[in-house]
Amino acid sequence: NNLGWLYYKGKGVEQNYQQAKTYYEKACDLNYGSGCLAMGDIIEENKGLFSVMKTYYKKACDLNDGMGCQKLGYYGRDIHSLEKSCDLDVGKGCNQLGKVYESPEHHFHYYGDISNFDPDYQKAKMYYEKACDILNYAKGCYSLGYLYDHKGIGIKLIGEIKENIKFRQKEEYLLEKTITYYKKACDMNDEEGCSALGFKYKVGQDVKKDYQQAIKTLNVLLRFDEDDYEGYFLRGIAKYNLDDLLGADSDFSSALEKNPVYTIAYTYRAITRSRLGNYDDALKDFHEAIDLRPDLPDPYYSRGVTRLLNQQFKEAIEDFDMFIRHEKKVADAYVNRGLCYQHLKDTVRAYEDYERAIRTNREDPNGYNHRSVLYMQQNRHKEAEADLDIAIKHDSTYLLSFFNRAL
């Protein structure tokens, strides 16, 4: 059998399928199950006669070769052989057996009829758990995660053993199980497991802003699909939130190489470059984003902040004007526009914008902090102190408020 493998793979000898077949056939004749399995695989690969292939798989199974039983079960539509493969600790067989009890399509494959099909999720779970937890079969972990991921199914799975817990707690329990098994599948390099886990991170379900884990997950996903521009973008977001600005810039650039019209990647690369102090390139990216989607308000706001930092106050005011046309309930937009007016010595308009910011969100300390500065400049100390009292009440961690109040 080993000689057959060497000739089949061309390891140390010239590749020769006919010679490999000769050795495999001899191994099978000597009642070596793996040789029979290999003969069946050669016939399967070369699209030979089904009856001959089935004969070899049957002999392999009769010799207690688990993979032979799994293949005989699948190709021969024989549920008993599939059960035997699972009993012989073949993870793929246990996983397929679980699907027979979960899915009408798989049930039909083995029984040829679904008129009496009634899903048995507990039994499916049992086989998936053996495939995953005992046999470390990645697809079994993905199947188990998928089972928990569909809440109606999941609630039935835990209903009997956790009858006393509330629905919300059940939801959290199911989500935890889902993430656990998708992650285990992904750790074993299962593409579907990584994709499902990546989606969980993407939509923010139960990742608790674990950006390090998100990066590990996306690293695996991108190994499977190097052209996934969204994967690079999401990894860039994770790196940005971990203050790896250079890494974030690189990933946003990769996303744009794969998709040159990906507006949001231009916006986030611009924000990243602005934080790096690279204002010129940041403004170029904002220009690209706005050219692509002039209807989106966020790039105007972010470009306005960059122009404010770059002391382009009049241009920044234009951007905040555009943003406020679309979004009138964002207090920081008024605060930042007020700052621009204040730098331009237009204290009347600055005061009006700080007032608008406070009316928009009375619990946001920024409006009070900035208005207090105007009051101090005008020697209106009691009014400045009152604003700082309110600002400190809403945010006692901002030390500059205490410093200004002391002044």
Side-chain angles (χ1 to χ4, degrees):
N1 191 69
N2 290 337
L3 276 172
W5 184 86
L6 292 174
Y7 278 105
Y8 190 72
K9 296 293 184 180
K11 299 287 185 180
V13 294
E14 185 178 347
Q15 195 172 42
N16 187 323
Y17 292 124
Q18 192 57 46
Q19 193 67 36
K21 187 177 175 182
T22 298
Y23 285 117
Y24 281 143
E25 195 160 21
K26 184 172 182 179
C28 183
D29 289 341
L30 292 170
N31 291 328
Y32 187 65
S34 292
C36 303
L37 173 66
M39 282 299 299
D41 288 344
I42 289 176
I43 295 167
E44 177 195 352
E45 191 174 305
N46 292 281
K47 303 188 185 307
L49 285 174
F50 175 78
S51 59
V52 178
M53 176 186 74
K54 184 178 173 182
T55 298
Y56 281 112
Y57 285 149
K58 185 178 185 310
K59 185 170 182 181
C61 184
D62 290 342
L63 292 168
N64 290 327
D65 183 280
M67 282 302 299
C69 294
Q70 183 271 317
K71 297 216 169 181
L72 177 63
Y74 180 76
Y75 288 109
R77 299 174 181 255
D78 180 3
I79 193 69
H80 300 296
S81 296
L82 193 63
E83 288 171 343
K84 185 176 178 180
S85 77
C86 185
D87 290 340
L88 290 168
D89 293 340
V90 174
K92 189 173 184 178
C94 296
N95 187 58
Q96 288 179 339
L97 200 53
K99 290 188 179 300
V100 171
Y101 291 99
E102 177 195 353
S103 158
E105 293 84 0
H106 287 84
H107 184 90
F108 181 83
H109 179 83
Y110 290 95
Y111 290 100
D113 179 33
I114 58 170
S115 59
N116 295 316
F117 174 69
D118 185 20
D120 187 340
Y121 298 124
Q122 288 290 352
K123 205 163 227 182
K125 174 174 169 283
M126 178 186 72
Y127 285 117
Y128 292 151
E129 283 177 338
K130 180 174 182 180
C132 175
D133 295 331
I134 298 174
L135 301 175
N136 289 317
Y137 182 65
K139 286 293 182 191
C141 300
Y142 169 74
S143 297
L144 199 49
Y146 184 87
L147 202 62
Y148 280 111
D149 200 11
H150 290 70
K151 295 180 177 58
I153 297 173
I155 292 293
K156 290 178 182 177
L157 286 179
I158 64 172
E160 295 177 8
I161 58 173
K162 291 186 174 287
E163 195 60 44
N164 60 327
I165 66 176
K166 296 178 181 177
F167 181 80
R168 178 58 59 188
Q169 291 173 301
K170 286 184 179 183
E171 290 275 293
E172 292 171 359
Y173 175 85
L174 290 173
L175 197 50
E176 182 181 332
K177 284 288 189 181
T178 298
I179 296 292
T180 297
Y181 285 110
Y182 281 159
K183 183 180 183 303
K184 189 169 182 180
C186 185
D187 287 345
M188 289 188 278
N189 293 326
D190 179 74
E191 184 175 357
E192 286 184 299
C194 292
S195 179
L197 185 60
F199 181 76
K200 290 296 180 189
Y201 279 90
K202 177 183 172 184
V203 299
Q205 294 185 17
D206 200 43
V207 296
K208 299 174 183 174
K209 296 191 176 180
D210 186 349
Y211 298 114
Q212 291 284 7
Q213 180 58 49
I215 289 170
K216 291 178 183 177
T217 302
L218 291 162
N219 286 345
V220 177
L221 286 170
L222 289 167
R223 286 204 297 272
F224 284 114
D225 184 0
E226 294 179 355
D227 294 321
D228 181 9
Y229 62 89
E230 197 170 24
Y232 289 106
F233 172 74
L234 291 171
R235 192 172 67 179
I237 292 291
K239 290 178 179 178
Y240 179 88
N241 281 285
L242 292 170
D243 286 328
D244 178 7
L245 300 181
L246 292 174
D249 184 282
S250 175
D251 274 343
F252 294 142
S253 297
S254 295
L256 289 166
E257 286 174 14
K258 308 298 180 185
N259 183 354
V261 293
Y262 195 29
T263 307
I264 195 170
Y266 280 113
T267 301
Y268 273 90
R269 188 173 70 173
I271 293 169
T272 303
R273 290 178 171 180
S274 180
R275 281 190 62 190
L276 287 166
N278 186 359
Y279 297 127
D280 289 341
D281 285 339
L283 289 171
K284 288 177 185 176
D285 276 347
F286 282 129
H287 182 75
E288 289 287 348
I290 290 168
D291 272 359
L292 285 167
R293 291 293 305 274
D295 58 311
L296 295 179
D298 289 349
Y300 292 105
Y301 176 84
S302 298
R303 187 172 70 177
V305 172
T306 300
R307 284 173 162 172
L308 169 59
L309 294 171
N310 205 30
Q311 299 187 7
Q312 298 174 337
F313 303 120
K314 291 181 180 179
E315 294 86 350
I317 288 170
E318 292 175 1
D319 278 338
F320 291 129
D321 286 344
M322 285 294 294
F323 177 80
I324 290 168
R325 284 182 200 174
H326 293 89
E327 300 284 349
K328 292 181 171 57
K329 295 184 178 181
V330 179
D332 280 345
Y334 297 109
V335 169
N336 286 323
R337 190 172 68 178
L339 268 173
C340 293
Y341 282 125
Q342 192 170 341
H343 282 292
L344 292 170
K345 310 299 182 186
D346 188 344
T347 56
V348 173
R349 288 188 175 179
Y351 178 83
E352 289 174 351
D353 269 342
Y354 297 148
E355 282 274 298
R356 289 190 185 98
I358 291 168
R359 288 198 303 270
T360 300
N361 186 352
R362 295 190 179 277
E363 295 183 358
D364 187 337
N366 285 339
Y368 298 105
N369 277 317
H370 287 287
R371 189 174 67 177
S372 73
V373 174
L374 278 183
Y375 283 146
M376 290 168 67
Q377 290 172 351
Q378 296 167 355
N379 294 320
R380 297 163 65 180
H381 299 299
K382 287 187 177 180
E383 291 163 293
E385 186 178 353
D387 270 355
L388 290 166
D389 286 343
I390 297 172
I392 291 168
K393 176 184 174 183
H394 293 305
D395 184 4
S396 60
T397 64
Y398 187 56
L399 297 181
L400 188 58
S401 300
F402 291 97
F403 179 80
N404 286 337
R405 189 170 68 175
L407 290 176

